[in-house]
Amino acid sequence: MMDPTQLDKVAVVARADESKAATVPQQHQQVAQQSQQRLGQLEQFRQEYETRLSALGKSGMDARQLADYRRFLSGLSDAISRQGDELQRDRANMVASQNDLREQSRRRMTVDELIAQTRAGLLREEERREQKLIDETSLQRHIFGSSGQ
């Protein structure tokens, strides 16, 4: 049977790993929220710029100004696309860190169960030894008590 003090050391490491893993999903969630906000801001800016372009187009604008607007909108669309990709990566990191936390928690619970089983086994062994000693003592009293009659 394993030494409970060695298992206690393993449990300390498992709890530390779980504790460390517990902080990561929240950090990734904050990063994903910030990415989502930036994406929303970029999309809102694009919408405002398109509205402005539409209004200017109705009132008339020269070809150069129109080309500049379109070039700017194209760059803005590229930035939105990159930000969307970044948001997907941030969300994937968040999910991965949540899965890691679940795995660390599962490992810690397994170690805790092993410790409990080991201690229960040691307790049963101790109880058997005590019962054996009681039985032997009782038998000796009975034998020595009977032979003296």
Side-chain angles (χ1 to χ4, degrees):
M1 191 154 295
M2 292 189 85
D3 181 6
T5 56
Q6 289 176 331
L7 288 175
D8 287 338
K9 291 175 185 177
V10 172
V12 167
V13 171
R15 285 186 188 96
D17 289 347
E18 181 185 28
S19 179
K20 185 169 59 172
T23 62
V24 177
Q26 184 179 10
Q27 293 168 349
H28 283 293
Q29 182 178 13
Q30 289 172 347
V31 169
Q33 286 172 342
Q34 290 169 350
S35 289
Q36 179 68 51
Q37 288 173 346
R38 282 191 298 272
L39 180 60
Q41 290 169 343
L42 287 170
E43 289 173 337
Q44 181 181 355
F45 188 56
R46 178 179 60 189
Q47 181 63 40
E48 291 170 1
Y49 217 78
E50 287 173 342
T51 302
R52 198 173 328 150
L53 174 61
S54 178
L56 286 172
K58 289 178 184 177
S59 66
M61 67 172 29
D62 63 39
R64 183 174 193 276
Q65 192 178 14
L66 179 61
D68 288 346
Y69 264 88
R70 286 189 177 156
R71 210 173 11 262
F72 180 78
L73 282 172
S74 175
L76 192 52
S77 291
D78 290 345
I80 289 171
S81 177
R82 285 190 304 274
Q83 187 61 42
D85 292 344
E86 185 176 325
L87 177 58
Q88 286 179 333
R89 279 190 304 276
D90 293 339
R91 286 180 176 163
N93 288 339
M94 182 179 66
V95 169
S97 65
Q98 290 168 338
N99 291 337
D100 184 50
L101 174 57
R102 278 191 286 279
E103 179 64 21
Q104 293 298 333
S105 295
R106 185 193 62 73
R107 286 180 185 167
R108 191 243 339 126
M109 288 188 296
T110 300
V111 169
D112 287 347
E113 289 173 17
L114 180 60
I115 289 171
Q117 291 171 1
T118 300
R119 288 201 170 117
L122 290 173
L123 183 59
R124 283 190 303 274
E125 286 178 20
E126 181 62 28
E127 288 172 350
R128 279 188 216 121
R129 280 194 297 273
E130 288 176 5
Q131 187 61 47
K132 182 179 177 184
L133 183 61
I134 290 170
D135 291 347
E136 288 173 355
T137 303
S138 176
L139 182 62
Q140 286 176 357
R141 283 187 193 150
H142 180 70
I143 293 173
F144 291 126
S146 301
S147 63
Q149 292 178 350

